[in-house]
Amino acid sequence: MENTFSHLLILRESWAKKLNFKIFNYTFDEILYFIGFSLYLGAHFITGTMFNTGAIPYKIFMASAVIVGFKIILYNPIKKIWTAALCILLMFIFHISASHSNLPDIFYYYIMILGAFNVDYRKIVKLTIIEVAIGLLITFISAKIGTIIGLTYDRNNGSYNLRYALGTIYPSDLAARIFYMSTFYVMYRKFHLSIPEYLSLLLLTVWTYLVTITKLDTILMMLLIITAVFYSKIVGILERITYKAMIYAELVAVAAICLLSYFYTDSNPILRAINNIITGRLYFAREAFNRYNVTLYGQNVLQNGSGGIHHGSFDYFYIDCSYIRLLMMSGLVSFVIVIGLLAYLTYYFVKNKFYPLLIALFLVFLSSFIDQHLLEISYNILLLSLFANCSYFFDNIVPFNKLTE
């Protein structure tokens, strides 16, 4: 079997050399990846809008996976058979979770992570910002001229505290998307912004709140601005904290939200106060535990969210927290793998001094307590950095303290 595997590797390298050329400073493997990634990103973006496209996005998902899969097979370095076996095993695990939950994001995201091997992560970030910005502009214009429905919501039941989705499926999704793209833009600039950029980001934050009235994402955007202002000092603080302490804090926080959700009761004033602060998320996470058990490989959790068009009254039930959503829908195995990936990225960013990525990871980590977008590619692209070339984000602005082993 080893000989067969070796022959396949030789054949693969032969084909890779024949296709080794550049177009506009992009190698053929990068071209393959960006075509597939761009298709998946655009199709995923459309699913969060009011464009009536039916099953077309999901067909594009499959086409993009084939294109990126070709890049993986042809160009990703596979020297040992166990490496290939592990990648295939994880692919099957995520495919089973996606099939059981009827939520394909985790499977296709995994394909995109593998495909990003040795691709310039700066180019991935730039493409994402441009494509999503264009998508939002088209969506806003389409809603304005009536091509698609621009949904309006009343937050406080008759008080005329109106929230606008502007062609997206829900105002909080629009706010989350703006937060994520703002974060990746600031990360792309390595948290070094000019005065006009600060003013633009501040105005965007105010506009986002006035349009969507989404408090939690607005707070995160304000935190992003503050982080950019005090970036050097924050990095200095991070230098004094070991990666182990950061990982422990992340694991404790995820465990805490799971436990608080599981043991939530309205009779506890502390839990009730926390639930009010995060706008009912503990209550509905508890409902998820009441209605379903945690499974190993995922399950279809029936939900009715406020997004989109509803005809008549309905029983609202939706899991917003990414960690509870991952645990209940994708299963315990996928949950452990993804949380382990977040922990590893923390170690990886600290070890290599990728501080812009590390701070962005913390912001995404916080956002995932209130939003469901952790594994949604048109929101969060940070996990693609796992195998990508992240050298651009190296930032050695202060003396580095050796990590505690």
Side-chain angles (χ1 to χ4, degrees), residues 257-276:
I257 193 65
C258 292
L259 291 173
L260 288 175
S261 299
Y262 185 79
F263 291 107
Y264 174 77
T265 172
D266 282 331
S267 62
N268 187 308
I270 297 177
L271 292 180
R272 190 169 65 248
I274 296 173
N275 183 59
N276 290 335

Side-chain angles (χ1 to χ4, degrees), residues 50 118 195 246 254 260 272 355 368 373 390 405:
M50 294 302 295
N118 208 32
I195 297 298
M246 296 179 193
V254 172
L260 288 175
R272 190 169 65 248
Y355 294 116
S368 298
H373 307 301
C390 300
E405 297 298 334

Side-chain angles (χ1 to χ4, degrees), residues 231-283:
Y231 174 71
S232 297
K233 293 182 179 179
I234 291 172
V235 171
I237 294 172
L238 292 175
E239 287 278 2
R240 300 186 186 95
I241 304 174
T242 66
Y243 72 86
K244 290 182 180 180
M246 296 179 193
I247 292 173
Y248 290 152
E250 291 169 354
L251 296 179
V252 168
V254 172
I257 193 65
C258 292
L259 291 173
L260 288 175
S261 299
Y262 185 79
F263 291 107
Y264 174 77
T265 172
D266 282 331
S267 62
N268 187 308
I270 297 177
L271 292 180
R272 190 169 65 248
I274 296 173
N275 183 59
N276 290 335
I277 291 172
I278 58 177
T279 59
R281 283 166 171 80
L282 284 184
Y283 172 82

Side-chain angles (χ1 to χ4, degrees), residues 30-49:
E30 285 184 323
I31 293 171
L32 280 176
Y33 182 74
F34 283 121
I35 290 174
F37 171 69
S38 182
L39 285 172
Y40 179 47
L41 178 65
H44 192 280
F45 176 90
I46 290 173
T47 63
T49 69

Side-chain angles (χ1 to χ4, degrees), residues 68-287:
V68 175
F70 182 65
K71 185 269 180 187
I72 294 169
I73 293 171
L74 200 58
Y75 289 99
N76 276 28
I78 303 174
K79 302 299 183 183
K80 301 290 184 180
I81 192 169
W82 69 265
T83 306
L86 178 61
C87 291
I88 293 171
L89 175 62
L90 289 174
M91 182 180 68
F92 274 112
I93 289 173
F94 291 138
H95 185 268
I96 291 170
S97 291
S99 299
H100 287 182
S101 65
N102 200 28
L103 194 68
D105 292 336
I106 193 169
F107 173 74
Y108 290 110
Y109 205 131
Y110 174 68
I111 299 296
M112 296 299 148
I113 290 175
L114 290 183
F117 186 91
N118 208 32
V119 175
D120 189 344
Y121 187 59
R122 175 177 55 171
K123 294 178 180 178
I124 296 176
V125 175
K126 184 177 181 180
L127 172 63
T128 302
I129 294 171
I130 292 173
E131 189 168 344
V132 171
I134 292 173
L136 283 174
L137 182 61
I138 294 173
T139 303
F140 293 165
I141 294 173
S142 299
K144 180 65 177 178
I145 65 178
T147 304
I148 59 175
I149 298 174
L151 298 172
T152 303
Y153 296 83
D154 180 3
R155 186 176 190 114
N156 292 323
N157 300 321
S159 66
Y160 299 102
N161 199 1
L162 299 181
R163 311 172 69 201
Y164 301 93
L166 302 181
T168 62
I169 60 174
Y170 197 65
S172 60
D173 285 344
L174 173 58
R177 195 179 294 282
I178 294 174
F179 159 71
Y180 272 98
M181 290 307 105
S182 299
T183 298
F184 290 126
Y185 176 79
V186 175
M187 184 188 79
Y188 181 83
R189 298 282 287 114
K190 298 172 74 171
F191 285 82
H192 301 304
L193 303 180
S194 63
I195 297 298
E197 287 173 318
Y198 277 117
L199 291 176
S200 298
L201 189 57
L202 182 59
L203 289 173
L204 180 62
T205 302
V206 173
W207 178 87
T208 301
Y209 179 73
L210 292 176
V211 170
T212 67
I213 314 181
T214 307
K215 296 178 182 178
L216 297 177
D217 283 297
T218 302
I219 292 171
L220 287 171
M221 291 182 71
M222 292 300 299
L223 182 59
L224 172 65
I225 296 172
I226 294 170
T227 303
V229 171
F230 297 102
Y231 174 71
S232 297
K233 293 182 179 179
I234 291 172
V235 171
I237 294 172
L238 292 175
E239 287 278 2
R240 300 186 186 95
I241 304 174
T242 66
Y243 72 86
K244 290 182 180 180
M246 296 179 193
I247 292 173
Y248 290 152
E250 291 169 354
L251 296 179
V252 168
V254 172
I257 193 65
C258 292
L259 291 173
L260 288 175
S261 299
Y262 185 79
F263 291 107
Y264 174 77
T265 172
D266 282 331
S267 62
N268 187 308
I270 297 177
L271 292 180
R272 190 169 65 248
I274 296 173
N275 183 59
N276 290 335
I277 291 172
I278 58 177
T279 59
R281 283 166 171 80
L282 284 184
Y283 172 82
F284 289 108
R286 176 57 192 164
E287 276 296 297

